[in-house]
Amino acid sequence: MSELTATEKEKAKKYYPLPKLAEKARIKSMDAYFKKWKYSVEHMEEFWADEAKKLDFFTPYEKVWQPPTGRNDEFVGKWFVGGKLNATYNCLDRWVEKGYGDEVALIWMGEDDTVKKFTYKSLMEEVNKAANALKSLGVKKGDRVCLWLPMVDSLAIIMLACARIGAIHSIVFGGFSAESVKDRIDDSACKILVVADEVRRAGKPRPMKNSLKGVIETCDSIEYVAIIKLTGGEVYQYEKDVDFLALMEQQSTECKSEPMDAEDPLFILYTSGTTGKPKGVVHTTAGYLVYGISSNYYVWDYSCLLDLKGDTPATRDVWYCTADIGWITGHTEIIYSPLALGAISVMYEGIPTWPHGGRFWEICEKFGVTHFYTAPTAIRALKKLGDENVTKWDLSKLKMLGTVGEVCNWPEWKWYWDVVGKGTSGDKPVGRPIVDSYWQTETGSYMMVNLGAITPMKPGSCTFPFFGIHPILLDEDGNKVTKPNTQAYFTYDLSWPGLMRTVWNDHPRFVNTYLTRFPGYYVTGDYALIDDEGYYFILGRSDDVIKVSGHRLGSAEVEAAINSHPKVVESAVIPYPHSVKGSTIFAYITLMNDDEASEELKKDIQNHVRSVAGPAVYPEVIMFAGAVPKTRSGKIMRRILKAVAEQKDIGNTMTLANPEVVEELIARRKMMGEIKF
Ligand code: PRX
């Protein structure tokens, strides 16, 4: 065997959290973790009953878990059966009632440096006004409300207002298009759309409401379009428009929270899958909240009101998650979990690189952030900008760092550790921990994660399961894989409260996507391996989901957007390596008329996709192809397309219906030369 290089040796080391963190940790040693984990999976009902004490129920539940009857479509069962509660009561009122009304709940900062500090009381009052405003528009328990907004405080307020009155929010990421908003509104028959007049982005107003022109008129279920005036810019008027902030100002600051059944949906969040349109992932009230707060409580150890017994808080930790609320991370990690724990949560409107490349660190210094949670793609982007953007800020308050969304690979991990965390090196490197949290829109919160204060880290590994989580690796035939360092399908064989319950309006799709491939298991769609010390490593998707800048896109959706261009017959998209985004989209496109292939047409298709699917969906590389390789059953062979794009060995083409196209693709790819991002 060849010698390891210096980097490989460094990478293969274990990294340790600063020992002082363990003293104050809720779980103080790895022995204690393993013991509690064993208990949590062997006595899951007792374990989750204990965790549920972290919530306040209006009516206690009768049964912790109603197990499935054994039918494949009932993997999850029902959690906290018969319990009644309200998410905003748990996030806001209970802290006010316990005398913590003046404690800071949410610190919001705008792109222009405006800061709004909401206390638990002032946030509750804003939420109540928004809840009353929604009611005045006829919104009732169970109705769906779509929110398409940038990262403004109104987004936090209105999502909580929905939860207060039992309306189900469906938040659509601001980087998606009006057409994507329409698809989501139609799928769940939303009554109200909340949208901003314009978005503030890198100092300039960008259109938002105007892009709905001609689209929103076709959404039959919409009764009102609630406008949040951010810039006051000129926007087109629609007869169903309501000035929502003005309406809120007329409302009372009191609004009783609606008692919801434990299993009532709290929200729908659409996410990309392998085929067809996005799936409306449904999360419930009690299960989602219990799981979110339990995982945040043990993983991060940040101080929170939950631990206090009527005493005044000493200095409190400050939690800053940089995600957009349009994704699950923002739902769970900016709003529901930190507020239900009684933490201080920071929310920022803008991007990390404007007005300067040290914006995140400036925010950390300004608010004394102790716990910082971001995505590998952001780390890569910031690493490129140079260390001085980080080192000029005072980050001495930071205790823990974290990542989510994709594998945090060695170069960005090491930079995060050295430059942001100032971890020391040496034989036993010790420093600020980097929490690598692996989870999904579907799973509500972390599945695999290190407990920041105690778990020895291995760069690129999400380490071990969270409590109550029982991961299983399976081979093609559904046999358990126990051999170390063997790639396998990543699944779970035990239900937990935070798992999605269904796909909105399409339970069969839920069953087919997650529960059918290996009956009795929830299938994540990822490959993973376990090393010889039991550390888990995620190896990427086993399906056609593409991650661009940590954002989840379905190949079918991107292809549908490309195919809607009048000159396109067919397309196939694959992920292509990108040094900042992780992957970018490489599109093979077959034209009606191959002679029309030109650089101008590529640009035109890119612009078309942007307008149809939104700026988040951008086919950065386009290669025109006479045809794409397919199996005899008509399935696109993406493995071959990936190999052609990356100019690697294409392997076996025996199963193709049209092997002859491959040579042509290789030749065309060669003509494009080196493509490096
Ligand atoms: O492929 C895994 C990857 O992101 C997928 C889930 O994407 P999404 O539903 O958008 O949720 C992202 C934020 C929770 C997973 O199936 N993924 C997420 N976290 C990690 C990861 N891959 C490796 N390591 C992670 N920490």
Side-chain angles (χ1 to χ4, degrees):
M1 227 168 105
S2 59
E3 281 281 294
L4 290 182
T5 63
T7 310
E8 281 165 346
K9 274 188 196 155
E10 225 194 328
K11 195 175 156 185
K13 274 184 198 161
K14 271 195 219 156
Y15 289 73
Y16 294 84
L18 291 164
K20 66 174 188 226
L21 291 172
E23 289 162 25
K24 290 198 181 151
R26 291 166 179 136
I27 306 288
K28 295 193 191 317
S29 69
M30 285 309 278
D31 280 350
Y33 157 73
F34 284 120
K35 214 168 139 201
K36 198 173 174 85
W37 177 76
K38 194 163 179 289
Y39 172 80
S40 72
V41 293
E42 288 175 358
H43 304 272
M44 59 189 270
E45 293 184 43
E46 288 93 329
F47 173 80
W48 288 117
D50 258 352
E51 292 308 302
K53 289 183 191 146
K54 294 186 170 70
L55 281 186
D56 285 334
F57 284 82
F58 297 142
T59 309
Y61 57 84
E62 290 143 21
K63 207 170 170 16
V64 182
W65 186 47
Q66 172 86 55
T69 57
R71 275 193 7 224
N72 189 21
D73 61 337
E74 289 181 358
F75 176 84
V76 199
K78 289 193 168 65
W79 286 90
F80 311 110
V81 182
K84 300 261 186 242
L85 76 167
N86 182 279
T88 59
Y89 178 86
N90 277 282
C91 287
L92 304 169
D93 306 44
R94 63 169 173 164
W95 306 128
V96 178
E97 287 172 12
K98 289 182 171 120
Y100 303 125
D102 294 334
E103 292 301 322
V104 175
L106 185 71
I107 302 175
W108 178 84
M109 183 165 129
E111 246 205 14
D112 61 358
D113 288 355
T114 311
V115 174
K116 293 188 194 171
K117 277 194 183 174
F118 294 92
T119 62
Y120 278 93
K121 183 157 182 284
S122 69
L123 185 57
M124 184 178 79
E125 289 177 351
E126 289 303 303
V127 168
N128 285 349
K129 286 198 277 181
N132 287 327
L134 287 172
K135 276 188 181 173
S136 77
L137 298 178
V139 179
K140 295 185 302 299
K141 179 175 174 174
D143 287 343
R144 274 79 59 208
V145 175
C146 180
L147 280 75
W148 190 42
L149 289 170
M151 284 284 284
V152 286
D153 51 334
S154 297
L155 173 55
I157 291 165
I158 300 170
M159 70 192 279
L160 287 165
C162 289
R164 185 141 193 108
I165 61 174
I168 303 166
H169 57 71
S170 163
I171 301 179
V172 181
F173 174 55
F176 284 147
S177 65
E179 286 293 338
S180 330
V181 177
K182 175 187 162 48
D183 287 347
R184 288 155 174 81
I185 289 175
D186 288 349
D187 187 68
S188 47
C190 295
K191 260 190 167 174
I192 307 266
L193 168 67
V194 188
V195 61
D197 53 355
E198 293 181 309
V199 183
R200 297 180 284 247
R201 213 67 223 262
K204 287 193 210 87
R206 301 263 172 89
M208 190 157 211
K209 167 83 191 316
N210 275 351
S211 58
L212 285 166
K213 199 171 182 179
V215 178
I216 192 66
E217 288 81 353
T218 65
C219 297
D220 296 337
S221 60
I222 287 293
E223 293 176 10
Y224 292 101
V225 177
I227 311 295
I228 306 296
K229 286 191 182 162
L230 291 182
T231 64
E234 277 284 305
V235 290
Y236 98 100
Q237 306 289 310
Y238 175 44
E239 60 197 27
K240 294 179 179 173
D241 285 356
V242 180
D243 180 341
F244 196 75
L245 296 180
L247 185 64
M248 266 176 71
E249 284 323 303
Q250 299 161 15
Q251 309 297 321
S252 149
T253 54
E254 284 178 22
C255 173
K256 224 175 136 305
S257 60
E258 186 72 35
M260 303 299 288
D261 193 84
E263 283 283 315
D264 275 340
L266 176 60
F267 62 82
I268 305 171
L269 183 57
Y270 284 85
T271 190
S272 297
T274 305
T275 51
K277 56 185 183 142
K279 304 181 280 273
V281 167
V282 176
H283 279 289
T284 56
T285 308
Y288 168 80
L289 279 181
V290 170
Y291 193 62
I293 63 178
S294 173
S295 47
N296 273 266
Y297 186 80
Y298 295 114
V299 167
W300 298 100
D301 283 314
Y302 53 63
S303 54
C304 54
L305 302 175
L306 183 77
D307 280 342
L308 302 174
K309 304 272 176 289
D311 39 345
T312 326
T315 50
R316 290 167 72 205
D317 286 330
V318 181
W319 164 254
Y320 175 24
C321 164
T322 70
D324 191 295
I325 292 182
W327 305 98
I328 189 69
T329 310
H331 283 59
T332 308
E333 304 297 335
I334 300 177
I335 302 297
Y336 286 115
S337 305
L339 297 182
L341 284 168
I344 300 175
S345 183
V346 174
M347 171 178 177
Y348 175 56
E349 180 184 29
I351 54 171
T353 48
W354 193 89
H356 57 78
R359 193 62 160 168
F360 279 174
W361 321 119
E362 179 190 2
I363 294 171
C364 287
E365 177 183 303
K366 193 176 172 99
F367 302 119
V369 170
T370 52
H371 293 73
F372 177 77
Y373 188 45
T374 194
T377 184
I379 303 172
R380 290 190 293 265
L382 298 173
K383 175 173 178 274
K384 268 206 165 162
L385 298 180
D387 298 359
E388 59 286 0
N389 280 297
V390 185
T391 48
K392 68 193 251 203
W393 304 100
D394 176 3
L395 302 180
S396 57
K397 294 254 171 62
L398 279 178
K399 293 182 187 170
M400 288 188 197
L401 306 170
T403 75
V404 57
E406 52 184 319
V407 178
C408 190
N409 284 310
W410 172 247
E412 61 261 24
W413 195 97
K414 181 75 164 84
W415 182 82
Y416 206 22
W417 171 265
D418 281 341
V419 181
V420 183
K422 300 195 172 56
T424 52
S425 284
D427 275 351
K428 185 174 174 182
V430 174
R432 291 188 180 107
I434 298 176
V435 169
D436 185 333
S437 57
Y438 163 82
W439 54 300
Q440 306 180 298
T441 307
E442 294 88 336
T443 67
S445 187
Y446 329 133
M447 315 299 298
M448 310 297 299
V449 64
N450 42 316
L451 301 189
I454 57 163
T455 313
M457 293 155 273
K458 287 193 183 183
S461 167
C462 51
T463 74
F464 303 114
F466 182 65
F467 302 132
I469 299 302
H470 200 243
I472 303 281
L473 297 175
L474 296 177
D475 69 12
E476 281 295 332
D477 303 320
N479 302 311
K480 288 188 185 163
V481 175
T482 48
K483 197 165 153 242
N485 303 314
T486 310
Q487 172 170 315
Y489 291 101
F490 197 33
T491 73
Y492 304 97
D493 69 352
L494 209 60
S495 172
W496 70 94
L499 184 57
M500 68 184 286
R501 297 298 192 270
T502 189
V503 169
W504 183 263
N505 245 344
D506 199 350
H507 195 64
R509 190 158 178 214
F510 171 59
V511 178
N512 289 336
T513 310
Y514 305 101
L515 306 174
T516 304
R517 173 80 169 84
F518 301 113
Y521 298 88
Y522 165 80
V523 179
T524 60
D526 286 305
Y527 288 122
L529 64 74
I530 184 166
D531 75 3
D532 35 23
E533 289 185 294
Y535 279 73
Y536 283 81
F537 287 80
I538 305 298
L539 304 173
R541 300 288 306 187
S542 61
D543 58 14
D544 295 333
V545 165
I546 303 178
K547 280 265 170 159
V548 179
S549 301
H551 295 163
R552 183 167 161 177
L553 305 171
S555 46
E557 291 154 59
V558 184
E559 286 158 9
I562 298 175
N563 297 351
S564 67
H565 187 282
K567 296 198 165 161
V568 172
V569 178
E570 194 185 28
S571 61
V573 301
I574 49 147
Y576 186 82
H578 190 289
S579 63
V580 173
K581 299 177 186 173
S583 309
T584 190
I585 298 173
F586 190 117
Y588 291 85
I589 296 180
T590 307
L591 296 172
M592 301 273 185
N593 178 357
D594 204 31
D595 297 339
E596 287 192 62
S598 67
E599 288 307 310
E600 288 70 46
L601 183 54
K602 281 187 187 173
K603 286 212 175 68
D604 193 57
I605 294 172
Q606 284 167 331
N607 289 337
H608 171 80
V609 174
R610 260 179 201 274
S611 72
V612 177
V617 187
Y618 180 65
E620 194 156 7
V621 189
I622 290 180
M623 179 174 137
F624 292 117
V628 292
K630 289 186 182 168
T631 61
R632 288 187 192 95
S633 58
K635 202 170 170 296
I636 295 169
M637 283 287 271
R638 290 175 209 276
R639 173 181 64 76
I640 292 180
L641 292 178
K642 277 183 200 158
V644 171
E646 292 179 40
Q647 301 192 288
K648 289 188 177 153
D649 178 23
I650 52 163
N652 190 343
T653 55
M654 298 264 285
T655 51
L656 290 181
N658 54 351
E660 67 286 352
V661 305
V662 178
E663 286 311 314
E664 187 219 323
L665 290 180
I666 293 173
R668 288 200 187 192
R669 174 63 190 85
K670 215 170 174 184
M671 277 163 60
M672 291 172 82
E674 191 187 26
I675 305 173
K676 204 154 187 260
F677 296 103

